[in-house]
Amino acid sequence: MSVRGPALLREQNQKKLIHLLRKHKQTSRKDLAKLMGVSKNTISLIVDRFINEGVIKEVGIKDSHKAGRPKILIELNADVFKSLGITLSNESIDYVVTDYCLNIIDKGSDKVDSRQVGEVVAYLTQLIQRTKQEHDGLIGVGIGIPGIVNTEEGIVYVSTKLGWKDVPLHSMLTQSAMLPDSMSLIIQNSVKMTALCAALTKEIHHNPSFFYIRIGEGIAGAFFQHGQIWDGVSWTSGEIGHLSVEPAGPPCSCGQIGCLEQMISIRSYSQWMSDREKIPTQVQIDTVQKQYGKYLGAALISVINIMNPGLIVIDSPYNSNTYFKQAVLDYLRANALEIPLSQTRIEFNEQPYIQSLGAAVAVIHHYEQ
């Protein structure tokens, strides 16, 4: 313990320093010591080592016109570490390669029958091996799966979209791709990974807790608190798509009636469009999306009252429609408890978050833990 204790503390300080440099872009040794609550000597030892290893570089002088010793600015050499983020859908696999500051340096999408586990594993093995060869400094691989995933063991319990059940993807890829111990392999629900992407945006970063909801072919959410995604004991937290919001609605595969996913998913909207004999007018579209906003508001009341987040991020294809957004807010003001609602900010993002980028973020998030 006498040896491991200092070594563990040193490793924690190193990861915290890298995290702060990624967050602040440029800073000084003195500012890092203040942020981390450690001595300047401790910071200097870490920084000097990282400079020698090419992880950090000095980039200039701050406040050179002021009296006293000027601060030397330092920043991460973002190219030293790389992350591979991958997401699976029914018929394709998307991926991005990023540097440590999450700038995308490579990306792609390939047609793959993701229902075939063997075909997916073969493709992912080839992709990981190719990325290791083409991009030095790969620290890990993140894979987003649409379904219930045991993140600790990397087992896909159920994925209705992919037709998977009890697939030990982590162990399968660790063997086939011959991953070294130094390279992490993170397998998680794709929406929860995308929430990590949302957590890094400027508007969200300072909130201790937020709930992220993504509306697509299905609907799911993720609760982020104190720097971590809350998975729940069965890895199913955030399943907002299966809250019943319409007693007269259609049956859902989960066994309930009128689930949010059945009422406002892209699949439901596409069905509504195809059922029209004529192309719907803008007034008809606005009316439907206004109703969608009411349904979403009804589901969010449970999130606000039970989870009490400081922020709710709505990642939806309907966000450009004013009637949809206003209906969500109006329903909440009329029906949610006043005190928790007053402390919860609602944000409609302008552009959808890239799910494969969220998978890459998961690798970096894990690296800094």
Side-chain angles (χ1 to χ4, degrees), residues 156-196:
V156 182
Y157 285 148
V158 177
S159 176
T160 304
K161 282 188 177 180
L162 305 182
W164 290 12
K165 187 172 183 180
D166 297 328
V167 176
L169 187 59
H170 189 284
S171 61
M172 295 171 75
L173 279 175
T174 300
Q175 295 175 17
S176 64
M178 295 180 290
L179 295 178
D181 292 338
S182 60
M183 188 177 297
S184 63
L185 175 60
I186 314 298
I187 300 173
Q188 193 172 29
N189 172 272
S190 53
V191 170
K192 290 177 180 176
M193 280 184 159
T194 310
L196 289 173

Side-chain angles (χ1 to χ4, degrees), residues 44-282:
S44 293
L45 288 172
I46 298 173
V47 170
D48 291 347
R49 175 189 169 187
F50 279 159
I51 287 176
N52 291 332
E53 294 176 352
V55 177
I56 290 174
K57 55 187 176 182
E58 295 179 337
V59 292
I61 297 176
K62 181 181 180 181
D63 300 331
S64 59
H65 60 285
K66 293 184 178 180
R69 188 175 181 179
K71 295 179 180 178
I72 298 176
L73 292 174
I74 55 177
E75 69 178 20
L76 274 177
N77 183 356
D79 290 334
V80 170
F81 300 131
K82 310 291 194 317
S83 175
L84 172 60
I86 305 168
T87 50
L88 276 64
S89 61
N90 294 30
E91 299 177 348
S92 66
I93 296 179
D94 301 329
Y95 66 89
V96 297
V97 180
T98 74
D99 64 19
Y100 200 78
C101 291
L102 297 171
N103 300 303
I104 297 175
I105 55 180
D106 192 8
K107 63 180 180 179
S109 180
D110 291 308
K111 292 289 184 182
V112 179
D113 186 357
S114 298
R115 295 167 296 182
Q116 303 299 320
V117 176
E119 187 174 338
V120 169
V121 171
Y123 172 86
L124 293 177
T125 299
Q126 184 181 35
L127 174 61
I128 293 169
Q129 291 176 339
R130 186 176 78 235
T131 304
K132 285 195 295 182
Q133 293 173 355
E134 296 177 356
H135 300 282
D136 292 336
L138 185 66
I139 60 173
V141 180
I143 303 175
I145 304 288
I148 299 172
V149 183
N150 179 331
T151 306
E152 290 183 359
E153 298 182 21
I155 298 173
V156 182
Y157 285 148
V158 177
S159 176
T160 304
K161 282 188 177 180
L162 305 182
W164 290 12
K165 187 172 183 180
D166 297 328
V167 176
L169 187 59
H170 189 284
S171 61
M172 295 171 75
L173 279 175
T174 300
Q175 295 175 17
S176 64
M178 295 180 290
L179 295 178
D181 292 338
S182 60
M183 188 177 297
S184 63
L185 175 60
I186 314 298
I187 300 173
Q188 193 172 29
N189 172 272
S190 53
V191 170
K192 290 177 180 176
M193 280 184 159
T194 310
L196 289 173
C197 191
L200 294 180
T201 66
K202 185 177 180 181
E203 296 80 5
I204 298 171
H205 193 83
H206 299 292
N207 284 274
S209 68
F210 74 89
F211 189 85
Y212 169 78
I213 176 172
R214 185 179 183 94
I215 300 175
E217 291 295 320
I219 298 177
F223 185 53
F224 187 90
Q225 187 172 32
H226 302 306
Q228 300 289 337
I229 293 291
W230 185 59
D231 286 308
V233 295
S234 61
W235 312 97
T236 55
S237 70
E239 288 294 333
I240 191 173
H242 292 289
L243 289 178
S244 179
V245 295
E246 176 52 76
C252 180
S253 59
C254 74
Q256 296 192 103
I257 299 295
C259 285
L260 184 66
E261 186 172 298
Q262 292 295 317
M263 303 309 299
I264 73 168
S265 66
I266 290 179
R267 189 169 58 245
S268 299
Y269 184 69
S270 298
Q271 185 62 50
W272 176 79
M273 291 285 285
S274 65
D275 288 344
R276 306 300 101 189
E277 293 183 0
K278 298 180 180 179
I279 297 176
T281 65
Q282 187 59 49

